[in-house]
Amino acid sequence: MNPLLIAIYIVFAVAALLTLWRIIVGPSILDRAVASDVLLTELMCVLGAEMAINHHTRTLPVLLIIAAVGVFGSISIARFVARKDANR
């Protein structure tokens, strides 16, 4: 395995653990939503780095699906919070 890829996996694993901590502990739903977006972005970065290092595009559809899930999830949470604030 490529040493650069191992270093990337270690850095992103630490970042993912810190992000998971924010999802678990985060005091508000917005903190958890931002942390989940960060986690999806980290996953996309790992997949993109792996594609660039190994010179392939096989995981490109997975990247597109993750991006769509992240966008739709953010929109759903934003609408939920906006509706909750309007009812106050």
Side-chain angles (χ1 to χ4, degrees), residues 19-86:
T19 305
L20 283 173
W21 177 255
R22 179 50 55 194
I23 290 173
I24 293 168
V25 173
S28 71
I29 191 169
L30 293 177
D31 290 330
R32 290 181 172 101
V34 169
S36 67
D37 284 343
V38 169
L39 190 61
L40 286 175
T41 303
E42 289 171 358
L43 179 62
M44 290 174 57
C45 288
V46 168
L47 290 173
E50 189 271 329
M51 283 186 346
I53 290 170
N54 292 328
H55 306 291
H56 70 82
T57 57
R58 291 185 300 268
T59 54
L60 191 59
V62 176
L63 283 173
L64 294 174
I65 291 170
I66 292 171
V69 167
V71 168
F72 293 138
S74 297
I75 291 170
S76 300
I77 292 172
R79 290 190 65 180
F80 172 74
V81 171
R83 189 176 306 143
K84 189 175 177 182
D85 287 342

